[in-house]
């Protein structure tokens, strides 16, 4: 079965439980959890006048094809109350497919690998925790190499959740 690498993010509501419930929902609907990074806190990227994000990378073994996985990710976002009002705006939950093994997809709904992965430290840092040696299928660089060369200067800090 293929392995998909996802990035979860939240900057509205109770972020830690939202991310935990999202992982549980993805395991229920999309595949078997292989690994999960710790949580990272980052200032918003793109549209900066909004609360800080918590991000987490996970890897799943999945029998879903890439577009089916996208459907599952979007269903989990909707369950968490996601509203798509403004591009890069604040959201209860965002689930992005970063990589899907070494598959390259260019469709109207989905581009794999995620086209902005190399320029986003908030995605690369948690991904490097669980898949540092994974090779980007188009750039032929590992996730660790992409992180080392990332031009994004936003601080990405490990987040220590308090309480259950």
């Amino acid at each position: 079965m293929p392995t998909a690498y996802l990035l979860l993010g939240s900057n509205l509501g109770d972020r830690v439980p939202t991310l935990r419930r999202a992982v549980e929902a993805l395991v229920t609907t999309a595949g078997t959890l292989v690994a999960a990074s710790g949580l990272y806190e980052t200032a918003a990227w793109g549209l900066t006048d909004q609360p800080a994000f918590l991000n987490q990378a996970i890897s799943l073994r999945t029998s879903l094809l890439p577009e089916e996985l996208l459907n599952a990710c979007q269903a989990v976002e909707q369950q968490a109350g996601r509203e798509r009002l403004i591009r890069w705006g604040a959201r209860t939950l965002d689930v992005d497919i970063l990589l899907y093994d070494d598959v390259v997809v260019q469709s109207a709904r989905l581009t794999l690998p995620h086209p902005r992965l190399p320029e986003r430290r908030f995605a690369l840092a948690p991904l490097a925790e669980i898949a540092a040696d994974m090779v980007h299928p188009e750039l032929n660089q590992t996730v660790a190499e992409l992180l080392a060369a990332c031009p994004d200067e936003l601080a990405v800090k490990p987040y220590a959740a308090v309480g259950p």
Side-chain angles (χ1 to χ4, degrees):
M1 269 198 274
T3 301
Y5 298 86
L6 309 179
L7 182 71
L8 288 66
S10 176
N11 76 333
L12 290 179
D14 205 349
R15 302 174 302 168
V16 173
T18 296
L19 293 177
R20 286 185 183 146
R21 285 190 302 271
V23 171
E24 291 169 5
L26 288 163
V27 167
T28 299
T29 61
T32 304
L33 185 66
V34 176
S37 75
L39 301 178
Y40 291 80
E41 190 167 44
T42 309
W45 187 96
L47 186 60
T48 59
D49 187 20
Q50 58 182 308
F53 274 85
L54 282 187
N55 291 295
Q56 180 177 36
I58 66 169
S59 59
L60 296 174
R61 283 220 167 68
T62 185
S63 60
L64 301 178
L65 296 173
E67 291 220 8
E68 294 171 329
L69 179 59
L70 177 62
N71 292 338
C73 291
Q74 289 178 341
V76 170
E77 289 176 341
Q78 287 180 336
Q79 290 170 2
R82 168 81 188 258
E83 294 180 324
R84 295 178 184 274
L85 303 175
I86 301 171
R87 185 174 190 197
W88 298 326
R91 49 205 172 267
T92 53
L93 181 65
D94 186 37
V95 182
D96 288 333
I97 306 171
L98 301 177
L99 298 162
Y100 184 102
D101 275 347
D102 60 354
V103 172
V104 175
V105 173
Q106 295 278 338
S107 77
R109 292 188 61 224
L110 180 63
T111 301
L112 290 175
H114 192 289
R116 287 173 293 285
L117 177 60
E119 63 197 48
R120 292 181 169 176
R121 186 171 304 280
F122 69 85
L124 289 167
L127 183 59
E129 183 182 326
I130 63 169
D133 294 330
M134 178 72 183
V135 176
H136 190 289
E138 292 180 309
L139 301 176
N140 201 30
Q141 292 179 291
T142 66
V143 170
E145 290 169 333
L146 291 172
L147 178 58
C150 183
D152 181 5
E153 295 182 4
L154 281 180
V156 177
K157 301 176 286 189
Y159 181 80
V162 179

